[in-house]
Amino acid sequence: MRILVSTSPSFGLYFPVVPLAWALRSAGHEVVVASPENMAETVNGSGLPFVPNCGPLPMRDIMLFDRAGEPIVLPDTEEELLAHTGRAFGRLGARTLDGMLRITGEWKPDVVVGEPHSYAAAAAAAVHGVPFVEHGIGLGYLAVIDEHGHREFAPELAGLGLPRLPDPALVVDTCLPGVHPGTTRPNTAPMGYVPFSTPGTVPPWVFGKPERPRLLLTLGTVPVPGRVELFAALLKMLSTLDVDLLLAVEDAVVQQLSPLPPSVLAAGWLSLDSVLPACDLVVHHCGAGTVMAALREGLPQVLIPHTVEQYDSARRLEEFGAARRIALEDLDPEQVLDACRALLEDPSYGDRARELRDQLLELPSPGRLVAAIEGLTAERGTR
């Protein structure tokens, strides 16, 4: 069977799909990943073959420029950000549609798999009569994003003679029961999150018994305005805690933060898969990958959301009792310090986080979904 995987030019949207892609490949199926040309190194680094569906197209350009190439001012409210993000994914679909139609027509996959806003992939699958599998990311996205995205993508759909994007043949849902929004779409299959990131060397201290708690601080791969200044302020405040600090940041940022406090155990690029098992608490930007990786280890989290679905995910985790939430626009480093103290001193946060971990581990693994995806081709015949 041939599986075509489509992804946006974003680590955060591609990495969660890799375990299922590898499960399919390990089952003996051919897997090829399609994305803008600038994703070649990232995809090949995950051990999968790559085919470009357009030239270089950074996600930043999709977010900050309209179809005519004119700059867009980023909105500053959650409602406006959701609409803005949907329109951006609609523009991405328009830019990659011709490539996806060509690749799907020439390679003739049996199934197309894409993350939630892979509009071009879903359209190409519909045109060529191929089942489309929508792969959920993190705790899920709000439907309002796709309402705006489909509206932006409507001219391309009309050009293909499609009144709308058809419903996926299968929806892979990675959200956990305890924080699930409660709405389940047709043909949904739950799947447990399996972490994937650029591989790294496991530091020897990961396996040792720590003398005091370990706190990991990261703000993700997507730049946050004033991030270096924010890191410096947070680092100064958090270094007053009786903890070992791990700073998961680019090496260039470490240079700007030097000299580092004595409490810093490691700083620079860190593979979260490698170091989170040795942590007690995570302070981060509420990116889907970091949220899920921390949940898989049963870690309480201090969340600093700054865009789209992050606000919703942070609210649900806080309401469940596994996290504390602080909006970036209202951020005071002392608030972060107080939140960290609360999570370290109140065992209920860790209890709730481990409850979500147990729910995650009970969900089917990516390998368990292979049969369901194979079944989508039963009526069409397989290679």
Side-chain angles (χ1 to χ4, degrees):
M1 194 165 72
R2 287 181 172 177
I3 311 291
L4 178 61
V5 175
S6 170
T7 180
S8 303
S10 162
F11 297 162
L13 292 174
Y14 173 60
F15 283 173
V17 183
V18 172
L20 180 60
W22 263 109
L24 289 160
R25 185 166 183 172
S26 298
H29 302 300
E30 295 180 70
V31 177
V32 170
V33 180
S35 190
E37 191 175 298
N38 48 297
M39 283 290 286
E41 183 177 353
T42 299
V43 174
N44 292 151
S46 71
L48 294 169
F50 172 79
V51 58
N53 57 20
C54 70
L57 185 58
M59 199 69 201
R60 180 180 182 278
D61 289 357
I62 288 297
M63 289 291 178
L64 298 183
F65 297 92
D66 64 17
R67 287 184 182 235
E70 295 298 321
I72 299 173
V73 177
L74 277 176
D76 55 9
T77 69
E78 182 178 358
E79 183 179 2
E80 292 171 333
L81 275 169
L82 291 168
H84 166 82
T85 301
R87 290 191 292 268
F89 280 112
R91 293 192 295 273
L92 176 62
R95 293 281 294 274
T96 57
L97 179 60
D98 288 346
M100 290 306 300
L101 288 168
R102 173 182 53 78
I103 295 164
T104 307
E106 293 176 354
W107 194 54
K108 296 180 172 52
D110 297 289
V111 175
V112 176
V113 178
E115 22 89 1
H117 315 303
S118 297
Y119 305 146
V127 167
H128 291 285
V130 179
F132 177 70
V133 175
E134 180 184 303
H135 192 303
I137 303 294
L139 299 182
Y141 285 90
L142 294 173
V144 67
I145 293 180
D146 286 329
E147 291 174 12
H148 291 279
H150 292 172
R151 206 170 297 138
E152 178 72 29
F153 193 57
E156 283 69 33
L157 289 174
L160 297 173
L162 297 174
R164 63 180 183 86
L165 283 174
D167 293 329
L170 182 69
V171 177
V172 177
D173 185 0
T174 57
C175 191
L176 308 177
V179 289
H180 203 284
T183 54
T184 301
R185 295 157 65 192
N187 305 317
T188 292
M191 186 185 82
Y193 170 83
V194 173
F196 174 84
S197 63
T198 306
T201 301
V202 179
W205 46 260
V206 166
F207 302 114
K209 184 175 177 59
E211 295 181 359
R212 56 184 185 173
R214 289 176 178 155
L215 185 157
L216 184 137
L217 170 64
T218 182
L219 292 183
T221 57
V222 178
V224 174
R227 183 163 55 147
V228 175
E229 294 78 8
L230 177 58
F231 254 112
L234 291 175
L235 181 58
K236 180 179 179 181
M237 188 62 67
L238 295 176
S239 64
T240 64
L241 286 171
D242 186 24
V243 298
D244 288 330
L245 288 170
L246 307 178
L247 304 183
V249 299
E250 299 96 330
D251 293 336
V253 174
V254 175
Q255 296 298 321
Q256 297 177 63
L257 294 173
S258 297
L260 299 175
S263 58
V264 174
L265 179 63
W269 182 87
L270 299 174
S271 169
L272 296 188
D273 300 354
S274 301
V275 301
L276 279 179
C279 293
D280 299 280
L281 172 65
V282 188
V283 178
H284 65 96
H285 60 301
C286 202
T290 310
V291 165
M292 299 304 289
L295 288 175
R296 189 176 173 89
E297 298 300 330
L299 299 177
Q301 306 173 54
V302 175
L303 304 171
I304 309 172
H306 69 275
T307 190
V308 287
E309 86 291 343
Q310 295 174 2
Y311 293 108
D312 180 58
S313 296
R315 274 193 297 268
R316 282 185 275 152
L317 286 169
E318 184 176 57
E319 289 168 3
F320 188 79
R324 291 281 289 267
R325 169 177 56 104
I326 303 171
L328 180 65
E329 54 269 24
D330 301 325
L331 183 64
D332 177 343
E334 193 160 343
Q335 288 179 290
V336 179
L337 179 67
D338 291 342
C340 289
R341 281 205 183 104
L343 268 62
L344 289 169
E345 295 172 1
D346 184 345
S348 69
Y349 289 101
D351 292 342
R352 296 297 266 171
R354 286 186 289 274
E355 187 176 335
L356 290 176
R357 175 199 61 194
D358 294 343
Q359 292 178 11
L360 188 158
L361 295 176
E362 289 174 0
L363 293 175
S365 69
R368 295 269 299 277
L369 264 70
V370 169
I373 294 173
E374 291 171 338
L376 298 177
T377 66
E379 295 181 3
R380 302 178 66 249
T382 60
R383 288 177 173 77

